[in-house]
Amino acid sequence: MAIYGYVRVSTRDQNEDRQMIALQQLSVPEKNIYIDKQSGKDFERPMYKKMMRRLKPDDLLYVKSIDRLGRNYEEIQNQWRILTKEKKVDIVVIDMPLLDTRRGKDLMGTFLSDIVLQVLSFVAENERTNIKQRQAEGIAAAKAKGVRFGRPPAPLPANFHSVYQRWKEGEITGLAAAKECGMPMSTFRYRAKIYENAKLL
């Protein structure tokens, strides 16, 4: 029997130390710890796939919490089935002692484990949905207050005002104006509209 550990953080900026410490305390060999630094929305993760190829029947897999395995309710259920039924490995979710497939191999134990898994998988996905909703609401509220997202526009060229005036008075075409300002026609028209609106305020 080999012992493995799986660690996942959502971004490269997040720290995996908490998960690593938990696995090291359980004497999981460092060479058997697989770390992915990406979202848990699906299981298309390089290190997870690599670990899956190495797992053999009766091996033991530790994860710190169910949301480290994934955040999609159906996919967590599916992966749990593949790991326990097809790969025939045992899984221990450290933060949830009831999710330990080494215990209760009888019908009642399996039944309880399946119920707990379903509840926790649902909670993980529900939290993911709530986070996305809170982000969307936060962005909408910020936009309503006038907060702008994305890169700030480049400063207007020094000659923009005079070129704009000549274009507005029909002395030069839009194409000529854009060329004088060193920008594409579409950009010139876009910046001219913003400039015009700013003058009206």
Side-chain angles (χ1 to χ4, degrees):
M1 182 193 79
I3 301 174
Y4 292 87
Y6 180 68
V7 170
R8 184 186 67 78
V9 289
S10 298
T11 68
R12 294 195 173 276
D13 298 329
Q14 288 185 337
N15 196 308
E16 66 272 15
D17 288 355
R18 190 174 61 89
Q19 296 174 68
M20 289 294 292
I21 290 166
L23 294 174
Q24 286 160 359
Q25 287 174 345
L26 292 163
S27 303
V28 180
E30 199 164 325
K31 66 183 176 66
N32 286 354
I33 297 176
Y34 290 81
I35 305 171
D36 276 311
K37 295 194 175 187
Q38 66 184 85
S39 164
K41 65 184 174 64
D42 57 43
F43 284 85
E44 293 301 311
R45 309 176 213 144
M47 297 310 288
Y48 183 82
K49 286 182 168 182
K50 189 174 181 181
M51 179 189 73
M52 287 291 279
R53 288 194 292 271
R54 283 193 64 191
L55 288 169
K56 300 284 188 297
D58 298 323
D59 283 347
L60 175 60
L61 171 63
Y62 283 105
V63 289
K64 181 78 170 75
S65 58
I66 197 70
D67 64 343
R68 296 306 88 201
L69 194 59
R71 287 193 178 275
N72 181 294
Y73 175 63
E74 287 184 15
E75 291 206 8
I76 293 173
Q77 298 262 43
N78 188 44
Q79 286 299 312
W80 191 274
R81 181 188 56 77
I82 291 169
L83 286 161
T84 58
K85 304 292 193 293
E86 295 179 18
K87 288 278 187 181
K88 299 187 186 308
V89 303
D90 278 313
I91 309 174
V92 175
V93 178
I94 300 167
D95 287 350
M96 180 54 63
L98 278 172
L99 284 178
D100 181 345
T101 60
R102 296 171 303 177
R103 298 179 184 174
K105 294 280 187 181
D106 59 0
L107 188 61
M108 182 55 74
T110 303
F111 176 68
L112 287 173
S113 179
D114 284 349
I115 287 176
V116 174
L117 173 65
Q118 286 189 35
V119 171
L120 290 178
S121 300
F122 172 77
V123 169
E125 182 170 11
N126 196 48
E127 178 58 18
R128 177 170 166 254
T129 303
N130 288 341
I131 288 169
K132 288 175 81 173
Q133 186 176 338
R134 287 196 294 269
Q135 285 173 339
E137 288 170 354
I139 290 168
K143 282 183 176 177
K145 289 180 181 176
V147 176
R148 297 190 63 170
F149 292 87
R151 289 184 304 174
L156 291 170
N159 66 340
F160 187 86
H161 175 73
S162 61
V163 172
Y164 168 83
Q165 291 295 346
R166 286 161 55 217
W167 168 70
K168 201 70 180 166
E169 290 166 11
E171 292 178 21
I172 56 173
T173 65
L175 197 61
K179 193 172 182 181
E180 281 191 45
C181 290
M183 57 179 66
M185 179 67 176
S186 58
T187 303
F188 175 78
R189 288 192 178 278
Y190 173 69
R191 299 301 293 273
K193 189 175 181 181
I194 293 173
Y195 181 74
E196 195 169 308
N197 288 339
K199 284 173 68 182
L200 292 172
L201 292 174

